[in-house]
Amino acid sequence: MSTVLAASTGLDFSLTQKLFVIALCALTAFISHLALAVFNDGVRPFMLDFIQGRSKRSATTAVSFGLSAGFIFGLGAPMALSSGVLNPWLLFLPTDILGILAPRKWLAPLLGGAWGALVVFGLGGANDVAHDLPVDFLTAMQQMSTPILYLFTLFPVLAITRQFGRPRGALAAVLELALVILTMKLWPNVFAGSLAMAAGVLLLIGLAVRKDLAQREADRAAALAAGEQISGPGQKSQESQGSQESQGSQESTADPMASLFSTSALRLRRHLPLFMVLGAGICVLAQMHIFGGGEATSFLIAKGQYSEAAQVDFYRVFGFVPLIATTALASGAYGIAGFTLVYPIGYLLPNPLLAAVVGAVVLALEVLALSSIGKVLGKLPSVRDSSEYLRGAITETLALAILFGSLLAANVMGGGLGILVVGGLYLLNEAMGRPVVRMAAAPAAVLAGGVLLNILYWLDLFTPLKG
């Protein structure tokens, strides 16, 4: 697959698209200010104390900034500059911070809109300036696309191996490899990993559901066997009474959490119209094809492979639904993009009007179904565990892919010296305890390395590689 991106000429958006991004950033900052939703999953658990007044706005802002800054400047900005496609780390993590920071309701959308304007008007200028430099590190960063797209394909294999053991993991690896080769041979214009990822995710879910159903049958058989051992009606009555007392005790113990979940769900439902506007906005943004919901998705959107991008983001949903649902019910703050289903749906819809309607309906249904989803997840522990393994596998595969792609970019920029600078900055970050999160450290190192190589060129200490 070629790594020449459709968007390699720059971040050129129409005026309508720019104004829409500004309005959406204003809306997400306002929703963040109201503590109704944040994009950063790590920030959401802290929102309950903020909502209930136990944590001040300044303290919550500090938490949000600390958990988001590395992703904004180390991942969001480099990915947008290298792919020419906007992403949620660049748009929604800053509006999380700005919305929580704003002391007044009217100030939050102004700050969010200002950030959106900075992105759509400033990023294009920065892109043009960078392409005119002697060492064009943005074009070099397009080398990240191939490792990200292909290594990301393996995340279901890692998840299956970790949850269900090596034999099933090996089976999944062989299956995915065969499907990648088959796709490359029979459908060369289709992203080779799409069918393999589908098979891997379906296999993981199938194994998890099978395990839960088998466990339920075993529990039922054990309960039946225990019941048969009880002899005498008096003993049965006593056992029944003890069971009722135990159940009452459990309900009493569970009541506070159940009450919290119910209160959180009710709080979100009261703002359903606002969530519908949010869902409409994000779905329209995805439909414009100037936005990608993930690392691999950004490059697929840039290549014009929208159906493949939809598949990739759809598979990611399985890893995040349990996390988003449980943290939303526990904290009272939902995800800015919900379960992120509006991303793949938006990529595939033919026009913005339909995207707005469908996006509004999807996010409304998600908010209304939160309590039910929480109850279902409570009955499927293996499926819930699968999401944990999926998220870990996604992070692990992308971390390796981004590091490898960043070193490829370093080689294109400056050969051995480029690898020395970029790899050295990455290792220095590791040695210093990762002040920049690992996934964002390598792209940030490419940007810093590109600037350094240009300075060396101006000092007549470095000659850029030809070609």
Side-chain angles (χ1 to χ4, degrees), residues 70-108:
F71 287 102
I72 296 168
F73 301 108
L75 186 62
M79 288 296 296
L81 288 168
S82 60
S83 68
V85 174
L86 300 174
N87 58 70
W89 306 286
L90 184 63
L91 294 183
F92 303 144
L93 289 181
T95 58
D96 279 359
I97 300 168
L98 295 171
I100 298 171
L101 173 67
R104 297 287 183 270
K105 285 184 180 181
W106 59 266
L107 184 58

Side-chain angles (χ1 to χ4, degrees), residues 41-86:
D41 295 321
V43 174
R44 199 171 301 115
F46 294 92
M47 297 303 289
L48 180 63
D49 286 341
F50 177 62
I51 292 168
Q52 297 182 347
R54 294 193 298 268
S55 177
K56 293 183 179 179
R57 189 172 291 277
S58 58
T60 310
T61 301
V63 169
S64 182
F65 181 82
L67 292 174
S68 302
F71 287 102
I72 296 168
F73 301 108
L75 186 62
M79 288 296 296
L81 288 168
S82 60
S83 68
V85 174
L86 300 174

Side-chain angles (χ1 to χ4, degrees), residues 231-252:
S231 59
Q235 189 171 357
K236 285 184 181 180
S237 175
Q238 185 178 359
E239 190 73 22
S240 175
Q241 182 178 358
S243 176
Q244 289 175 2
E245 290 176 356
S246 174
Q247 184 178 358
S249 174
Q250 289 177 358
E251 288 176 355
S252 175

